[in-house]
Amino acid sequence: MGTITRRALRATSGSGGGPDPEDMVRAGRVILGGSNPLNANLHQWRFVEEARERGAYVVCIDPIRTDTAARCAEHLAPLPGTDAAR
């Protein structure tokens, strides 16, 4: 993981690290929240596909029906402005 990625994670989540994308292939469920790896993180998409081939249920949470969302088992589309904690 690069320095910029660590800084961004620390600024947004308080942690400088995250899960290893390669671990995704062993997951039973993959939840893609607010990301579009098919278009914006293609090197990670292959791990999503491998997890799916191994039987993982893949869910995309995105207000827009992206190419990624179309390829997932389920697409949850919150209305813009309604997904934040109140």
Side-chain angles (χ1 to χ4, degrees), residues 15-34:
S15 170
D20 186 341
E22 293 179 14
D23 288 339
M24 187 182 304
V25 300
R26 293 189 296 277
R29 181 166 307 219
V30 176
I31 300 174
L32 304 170

Side-chain angles (χ1 to χ4, degrees), residues 60 65-73 75:
C60 179
R65 181 127 177 117
T66 61
D67 292 339
T68 296
R71 293 188 187 193
C72 292
H75 173 218

Side-chain angles (χ1 to χ4, degrees), residues 2-84:
T3 302
I4 293 173
T5 301
R6 274 196 282 290
R7 286 181 185 170
L9 283 168
R10 196 172 306 111
T12 58
S13 68
S15 170
D20 186 341
E22 293 179 14
D23 288 339
M24 187 182 304
V25 300
R26 293 189 296 277
R29 181 166 307 219
V30 176
I31 300 174
L32 304 170
S35 68
N36 185 2
L38 187 59
N39 295 107
N41 196 353
L42 194 54
H43 62 280
Q44 185 181 27
W45 182 250
R46 68 185 176 117
F47 299 123
V48 175
E49 285 187 324
E50 188 174 341
R52 186 177 50 201
E53 289 168 6
R54 292 176 170 216
Y57 189 78
V58 182
V59 179
C60 179
I61 304 171
D62 195 318
I64 300 170
R65 181 127 177 117
T66 61
D67 292 339
T68 296
R71 293 188 187 193
C72 292
E74 187 172 355
H75 173 218
L76 303 174
L79 296 173
T82 64
D83 57 334

